[in-house]
Amino acid sequence: MTPRTKWLLGGAAVVVMIVAIATIVWATARPAPEASASPTPQPSPSIDLLASAQADLDEHLEQCAAAGAPNGVMPEACGIRIPWGTEFAAVTDARFRIERMPEITLTDDGFVAQGGELIATVTGTGQDGAPRTTTYRTQNWSVRGDAERTRTGVDVTVW
């Protein structure tokens, strides 16, 4: 190898090294994205979906409670069962008060909501023919149903 070829190869190696170093420096010297003065934490999608489903369920159950049970006809798809048959011959009305909403858990098949507390005041005619009013309390009110993801959250349908 001639001295001239050695110089050309050495110069080419130096140029390649300079280009490589310049590329590395340029890639790492980019300014970092500006951090906002007060970063807003982004909730995880599962928490948003769960909160949306719980809000939808709460609204549905509040409507159930507000409807009551005029003439003893229970609101449908509310998970309310009252064993008044042994104490009442006829029911004229039932009023509901929610003490604690059932807490929802999303499943592969839909949802389950458990741990609610519901108070029902039933009025009507007792088995003895006399007017009767009785209050029932359940501390394990639960409902099940379907959960469908939408653009804005989750819609629940109670069975």
Side-chain angles (χ1 to χ4, degrees):
M1 197 184 283
T2 65
R4 182 175 178 201
T5 305
K6 289 181 184 179
W7 277 102
L8 284 175
L9 288 175
V14 168
V15 168
V16 168
M17 291 176 76
I18 290 173
V19 169
I21 291 171
T23 302
I24 291 171
V25 168
W26 178 78
T28 58
R30 290 184 184 168
E34 291 183 27
S36 62
S38 59
T40 305
Q42 297 297 323
S44 70
S46 63
I47 292 174
D48 286 344
L49 293 177
L50 190 60
S52 173
Q54 184 70 55
D56 197 42
L57 178 64
D58 290 354
E59 181 180 340
H60 174 76
L61 295 178
E62 286 170 2
Q63 290 172 357
C64 289
N71 299 316
V73 178
M74 299 297 298
E76 292 186 29
C78 295
I80 300 173
R81 307 286 181 267
I82 306 206
W84 60 52
T86 59
E87 297 174 332
F88 287 87
V91 173
T92 56
D93 194 20
R95 297 284 171 213
F96 305 112
R97 185 175 78 234
I98 300 170
E99 291 287 314
R100 183 178 62 243
M101 286 288 184
E103 291 186 32
I104 198 165
T105 303
L106 298 175
T107 65
D108 292 337
D109 298 338
F111 76 90
V112 175
Q114 299 174 327
E117 187 171 343
L118 179 71
I119 298 171
T121 302
V122 180
T123 56
T125 306
Q127 294 292 353
D128 60 359
R132 181 178 183 104
T133 299
T134 303
T135 300
Y136 298 90
R137 174 187 295 264
T138 179
Q139 296 177 327
N140 59 355
W141 181 27
S142 64
V143 293
R144 297 181 60 181
D146 294 322
E148 181 180 338
R149 189 172 181 170
T150 65
R151 289 183 181 186
T152 59
V154 176
D155 285 336
V156 297
T157 304
V158 179
W159 297 331

